Amino acid sequence: MFHVIEKEIRWRKDNGRPEGFDALKKSKPVVAVGADEPLGGERMKAAYYRAYNSLLTTVLHPHHSSPSEAWSHLFDKPSPETLLSSTATESTHSTPSTKEESHLFTPSSSPSHLEMLEILSREPPNTVTIIAIGPLTTIATAAAHSPATFLRAKQVLVMGGAIGVPGNMTPVGEFNTIADPVAAARVYALTSPDVASTMPPPGSAAGLPDEYPSKQLGAERLKVVKFPLDITTQHQLRRDESLAKITPLAEQGSPFAEWVLAFLTATFKKVETLHHGHEVDGGSTHISLHDPLCVWYALSGEVQAGQWGLKEGEDIRVETIGQWTRGMCVVDRRDRKRAKEGEEAVSGDMGDWLSWKKGNRIDRCVSTPGERILAGLLLNSIFG
């Protein structure tokens, strides 16, 4: 992606167009490599996702859009037999073309969870928002490594789960959650007044302690805002509107438009083979804007607070061991009275779902400034 953006900036400059990407040029992101395996269970295997990825690989990697293979060395760690600094290592491994291709981001040789903790320790408390648009493996690892540092985060925005709608991997499981339900359960537990009450069973997370050290937790709790399929699938990008915006730019030679058009065309074709009901009003196939919705909230959630609807403090727990329900987001649908603060536990309440001092406290997004606004905002922000 960075390689294509580099080409796009040069193309715009050569054609007398505004270069754009000002935020990216002003504040280079740090790119670090995440975990290879989930904390618990096997890596997610989905035949149709592999076929989907194969299709995208064929379409997305024409010769003119692919960076050189040298980019992969940017993330190499220094040899333990040397005293090379990260700067020296980058210089050693990077060819001139690699340096040019990577100047929009800073490659890191540290694991992603350590980079996350470094940022949190460096910035003032309650100023860093973490946006999670994949499995929560890296976030859970960072929290386990240093809970006190991790709890300096202002909030964690999570795209994942399904509450009142079917899942997209199983009847109850959404991909990001089912890919590592143990990690999700561990992160969500940090929202609970009693963190231990919703932690997964002992031994679930290989290599991590079963509990968070109480001395590192203190009174601080994590704020999680969840964006499940219930809300993300309502925000759609239609094929007709995306092609109308992108195709003219691609025909004029825009590298970025060519790249986006390639993967969107492949995505729309694959969606038609996977699901029913993707023909919306006007007869245009659509894809759901799952991840962009989280970013939209991060950018506008405070300045447009009155236009976003959150169900606050919801006890959402993640099933980590069920044969058929692994990765399910469980909520209490019983019509029973919840205990008020200071009251005794409710009799016959297995799992303490009605307790005022146990269970998770997650804010769930239930409404936005407008389901049809995001697609246009996204296209106009990227392509003008």
Side-chain angles (χ1 to χ4, degrees):
M1 181 182 70
F2 289 106
H3 174 72
V4 176
I5 292 175
E6 287 278 1
K7 293 173 69 68
E8 176 72 10
I9 291 174
R10 289 196 294 269
W11 177 80
R12 292 183 182 182
K13 184 176 181 180
D14 292 343
N15 287 271
R17 297 170 179 262
E19 293 182 15
F21 303 100
D22 294 333
L24 182 60
K25 290 185 286 188
K26 182 179 179 180
S27 180
K28 294 200 304 183
V30 175
V31 179
V33 178
D36 289 330
E37 302 288 341
L39 296 182
E42 298 180 356
R43 181 184 297 180
M44 174 63 67
K45 297 178 181 179
Y48 72 81
Y49 270 93
R50 289 198 295 272
Y52 182 31
N53 288 337
S54 297
L55 173 63
L56 291 183
T57 299
T58 301
V59 174
L60 290 181
H61 293 283
H63 177 73
H64 69 279
S65 296
S66 301
S68 67
E69 291 298 324
W71 72 268
S72 60
H73 292 298
L74 293 171
F75 302 95
D76 289 351
K77 292 183 178 180
S79 170
E81 290 80 22
T82 72
L83 297 177
L84 288 176
S85 66
S86 58
T87 302
T89 303
E90 179 178 340
S91 176
T92 300
H93 287 304
S94 301
T95 64
S97 61
T98 306
K99 290 180 181 178
E100 182 182 358
E101 291 164 0
S102 65
H103 87 264
L104 287 181
F105 71 95
T106 301
S108 171
S109 60
S110 296
S112 55
H113 71 278
L114 295 182
E115 282 291 350
M116 184 181 297
L117 292 173
E118 167 61 24
I119 294 172
L120 288 169
S121 65
R122 184 175 67 242
E123 300 298 327
N126 298 313
T127 61
V128 176
T129 291
I130 300 171
I131 305 176
I133 56 174
L136 299 184
T137 311
T138 292
I139 294 176
T141 304
H145 191 86
S146 180
T149 303
F150 183 76
L151 289 173
R152 292 168 62 92
K154 177 181 179 180
Q155 58 186 349
V156 178
L157 311 182
V158 177
M159 188 281 120
I163 308 300
V165 299
N168 57 10
M169 294 301 293
T170 70
V172 295
E174 175 273 334
F175 181 87
N176 288 344
T177 307
I178 200 173
D180 199 343
V182 171
R186 291 179 65 98
V187 172
Y188 294 168
L190 289 171
T191 70
S192 176
D194 182 355
V195 173
S197 68
T198 57
M199 287 286 282
S204 298
L208 297 184
D210 293 330
E211 298 179 355
Y212 293 107
S214 58
K215 290 183 178 180
Q216 291 200 42
L217 290 177
E220 293 294 327
R221 289 298 179 265
L222 183 66
K223 179 180 180 181
V224 170
V225 183
K226 188 174 178 65
F227 298 81
L229 296 180
D230 310 54
I231 190 69
T232 62
T233 53
Q234 298 177 27
H235 297 75
Q236 302 161 356
L237 177 65
R238 294 165 43 137
R239 176 161 52 189
D240 56 356
E241 64 185 344
S242 61
L243 295 186
K245 187 73 173 181
I246 302 170
T247 302
L249 291 171
E251 291 174 345
Q252 295 172 39
S254 164
F256 194 66
E258 291 177 353
W259 185 70
V260 174
L261 184 62
F263 76 71
L264 278 183
T265 300
T267 301
F268 285 127
K269 287 182 179 179
K270 194 61 183 179
V271 162
E272 288 179 322
T273 69
L274 294 177
H275 303 288
H276 298 291
H278 272 74
E279 296 290 331
V280 294
D281 294 340
S284 181
T285 300
H286 71 273
I287 56 176
S288 298
L289 297 172
H290 302 292
D291 302 342
L293 185 60
C294 296
V295 179
W296 188 22
Y297 178 82
L299 296 173
S300 68
E302 292 185 354
V303 296
Q304 296 180 309
Q307 300 182 47
W308 290 87
L310 300 180
K311 184 175 182 180
E312 298 181 345
E314 190 172 16
D315 187 1
I316 303 174
R317 309 185 193 183
V318 178
E319 175 58 59
T320 60
I321 58 176
Q323 180 180 4
W324 308 118
T325 58
R326 188 171 183 267
M328 178 182 181
C329 289
V330 184
V331 296
D332 190 354
R333 305 183 192 278
R334 299 173 297 175
D335 185 19
R336 296 190 61 181
K337 183 179 179 181
R338 191 180 186 90
K340 297 180 180 179
E341 186 171 348
E343 292 183 346
E344 296 294 328
V346 178
S347 176
D349 177 33
M350 295 182 63
D352 295 312
W353 288 88
L354 303 176
S355 171
W356 61 271
K357 58 183 178 180
K358 295 187 178 183
N360 295 328
R361 303 290 186 269
I362 296 173
D363 296 344
R364 174 163 63 97
C365 181
V366 294
S367 65
T368 72
E371 297 173 4
R372 290 300 306 148
I373 293 177
L374 181 56
L377 181 63
L378 183 66
L379 289 172
N380 290 330
S381 297
I382 296 174
F383 297 103

